[in-house]
Amino acid sequence: MDFSLSEEQKLIIDTTKKFVESELFPHEELVEKTGNLPMDLIKEIQAKAIKTGIYAANIPQEFGGGGLDTLTWLLYEKELGKANYALHWTCVARPSNILCAGTKDQKEKYLKPCIEGKKWDCLAMTEPNAGSDLRGMTASARETTSGDWVLNGTKHFISHADIADFTIAFMASGTEETNKGPKKLITAFFVDKGTPGFNIREGYDNVSHRGYTNSILEFSDVKVPKESILGEVHKGFEVANKWLGATRLQVGATCLGRAERAFNHAIEWAATRQQFGQPIGKFQGTSFKLSDMAMELKAAQLLILEAGWKYDQGIATDLDMAMAKLKASEMLAMVSDEAIQIHGGMGLMTELPLERIWRDARLERIWEGTSEIQRHIISRSLLLSLIHISEPTRLRRISYAVFCL
């Protein structure tokens, strides 16, 4: 694999970096102190992002987006990730790629205005009693005799649903028998804000990502036409797996950006902060921390870039994605914590972004699949890979796999 950057990639990274530093960093203090991102500010930054050409960069060109390949998109996400999450996610929006799975009419109604900055979408999967176990969802969809559908249930932790113009709601729409017993079938539906019976309530206060809101969505006999189905009936997981596969890498890439920002603060502080007549970077207690931070950051970046490269080649596996997301999110926790330790008491003061990065890091090990889920995927992949090999080799690899776990 050749990770040398093309001139176009360098331009995209440089353009995004300058935009983040000039248009997002200046507003971080406001969002952090108030927990609010004013709509007039969103619109102002959004217009600049569209003019700069970095808005909706994840959407393929054939649909009107920026059309970045996965590897370039992750490098772009890394730069955006250095800023407050609400600022870069809302103001430099990335419409969900799953919108590309819609019909021609659905793309015109939902995807196009999102790319143009006229609408926002949100995904509704998680429920109060069904987090990582999506098959355990109880929110349901029932087909009527006319062919339309009636939705009932509750979703929570739904990101930026308060400003979204519509949601893509995943509902249990039936069951099928498997050798492990009944399994729920899932269907995805477009539901417009204002549809009778569809209510959005304020969510929970969150220690991470101030200004980036979550909401509770309630569906009470919400009637939607059959044309609102995204993909096919009972095929909600299939459409999600096809179009949302790289979201774990997006999380990992933004972790890289924040970790790099924290690391750079630590390097500068270690080189300039004087104690006992010399820079604290000369003390092993500090210099060894910097060495470990640099090594972990490099390892996480290589995993993210490799997974992104594989994704573009069509050879990325669940193992690749899980390893990359797990390593990047746990690396961020370590780097942000050590950066604060190097700064001492100053690291916890709001004059620096470190305490914010440290707080925000906690969420990354939970959403888009907890660290435990990622480890389950990794270990399952290691063991399943042994099924089709010879017995002696299988035993050797099992011993190795168990040792690694």
Side-chain angles (χ1 to χ4, degrees):
M1 286 171 287
D2 181 8
F3 288 147
S4 59
L5 301 181
S6 67
E7 290 304 313
E8 181 181 4
Q9 287 174 318
K10 291 177 182 178
L11 177 61
I12 291 169
I13 293 169
D14 186 57
T15 300
T16 308
K17 175 182 173 65
K18 289 178 179 177
F19 188 91
V20 167
E21 292 176 350
S22 64
E23 303 298 341
L24 302 187
F25 281 0
H27 303 292
E28 285 184 324
E29 183 177 0
L30 169 67
V31 179
E32 288 297 321
K33 287 186 175 180
T34 65
N36 179 51
L37 185 55
M39 183 54 68
D40 59 344
L41 179 59
I42 293 174
K43 290 294 187 180
E44 176 188 336
I45 300 175
Q46 181 188 57
K48 293 178 180 178
I50 292 173
K51 183 178 180 180
T52 305
I54 62 172
Y55 197 84
N58 60 310
I59 301 297
Q61 282 185 325
E62 62 184 289
F63 302 128
L68 297 185
D69 61 87
T70 306
L71 183 57
T72 307
W73 172 60
L74 293 174
L75 294 169
Y76 155 90
E77 290 285 351
K78 176 187 172 185
E79 294 304 321
L80 290 176
K82 295 177 181 178
N84 164 279
Y85 206 90
L87 278 166
H88 75 74
W89 185 265
T90 313
C91 303
V92 193
R94 284 81 94 204
S96 175
N97 289 62
I98 202 171
L99 295 174
C100 298
T103 64
K104 181 179 179 181
D105 289 341
Q106 288 172 342
K107 290 189 185 80
E108 187 69 23
K109 182 178 180 180
Y110 296 109
L111 176 59
K112 183 178 178 181
C114 284
I115 293 173
E116 295 173 343
K118 297 175 181 178
K119 286 185 177 182
W120 284 274
D121 67 284
C122 69
L123 295 176
M125 292 187 183
T126 307
E127 297 181 9
N129 294 312
S132 298
D133 178 20
L134 290 178
R135 292 285 187 185
M137 68 173 60
T138 59
S140 64
R142 174 177 55 85
E143 189 175 13
T144 67
T145 55
S146 66
D148 295 335
W149 293 77
V150 178
L151 314 182
N152 282 284
T154 301
K155 303 288 184 179
H156 78 161
F157 294 157
I158 309 307
S159 298
H160 52 80
D162 55 334
I163 66 168
D165 299 274
F166 63 93
T167 185
I168 301 166
F170 289 76
M171 299 286 188
S173 53
T175 59
E176 65 177 344
E177 291 298 326
T178 71
N179 55 8
K180 295 183 179 180
K183 182 176 69 174
K184 289 184 179 178
L185 297 168
I186 309 298
T187 302
F189 297 87
F190 286 105
V191 184
D192 295 322
K193 184 177 286 186
T195 300
F198 176 40
N199 297 306
I200 300 175
R201 294 197 291 112
E202 186 176 345
Y204 314 94
D205 289 334
N206 184 5
V207 69
S208 300
H209 300 323
R210 288 177 182 165
Y212 188 76
T213 59
N214 69 86
S215 299
I216 299 170
L217 276 54
E218 297 174 334
F219 301 83
S220 179
D221 289 333
V222 177
K223 296 179 181 179
V224 294
K226 57 186 177 183
E227 290 78 16
S228 67
I229 293 174
L230 177 60
E232 300 178 40
V233 175
H234 304 325
K235 300 293 185 181
F237 272 143
E238 285 80 355
V239 73
N241 287 336
K242 178 178 180 180
W243 291 99
L244 300 178
T247 53
R248 280 175 285 173
L249 297 184
Q250 184 268 334
V251 170
T254 58
C255 286
L256 292 180
R258 268 171 282 149
E260 185 175 287
R261 188 176 178 186
F263 180 64
N264 288 339
H265 275 281
I267 286 283
E268 182 178 358
W269 186 263
T272 57
R273 171 68 167 167
Q274 295 277 332
Q275 290 286 280
F276 307 106
Q278 58 184 322
I280 63 172
K282 290 190 174 182
F283 300 120
Q284 284 188 354
T286 300
S287 62
F288 284 9
K289 288 182 186 298
L290 294 173
S291 298
D292 289 341
M293 293 160 73
M295 181 174 60
E296 291 299 308
L297 182 53
K298 183 74 169 182
Q301 178 162 293
L302 288 173
L303 281 170
I304 292 289
L305 295 180
E306 180 195 40
W309 179 84
K310 283 186 172 183
Y311 198 85
D312 283 331
Q313 310 307 309
I315 59 174
T317 66
D318 288 341
L319 177 68
D320 297 318
M321 316 287 264
M323 280 187 169
K325 194 269 181 179
L326 177 64
K327 183 63 176 179
S329 59
E330 296 201 343
M331 174 278 299
L332 174 60
M334 174 268 192
V335 168
S336 61
D337 192 74
E338 292 288 47
I340 287 177
Q341 195 70 18
I342 289 172
H343 280 76
M346 195 63 203
L348 290 169
M349 302 299 111
T350 56
E351 281 74 11
L352 293 174
L354 296 179
E355 60 87 23
R356 187 262 298 175
I357 294 173
W358 182 62
R359 279 187 287 104
D360 291 351
R362 191 62 190 87
L363 181 59
E364 308 303 337
R365 288 176 281 160
I366 295 175
W367 66 359
E368 290 300 331
T370 64
S371 292
E372 290 74 21
I373 289 292
Q374 306 308 327
R375 285 186 166 88
H376 171 70
I377 293 171
I378 294 167
S379 60
R380 182 184 62 187
S381 298
L382 291 172
L383 295 172
L384 287 178
S385 68
L386 307 176
I387 292 176
H388 301 296
I389 59 178
S390 64
E391 188 67 21
T393 305
R394 181 185 303 149
L395 291 175
R396 288 197 299 273
R397 291 192 182 178
I398 287 176
S399 298
Y400 177 73
V402 172
F403 173 79
C404 291
L405 295 176

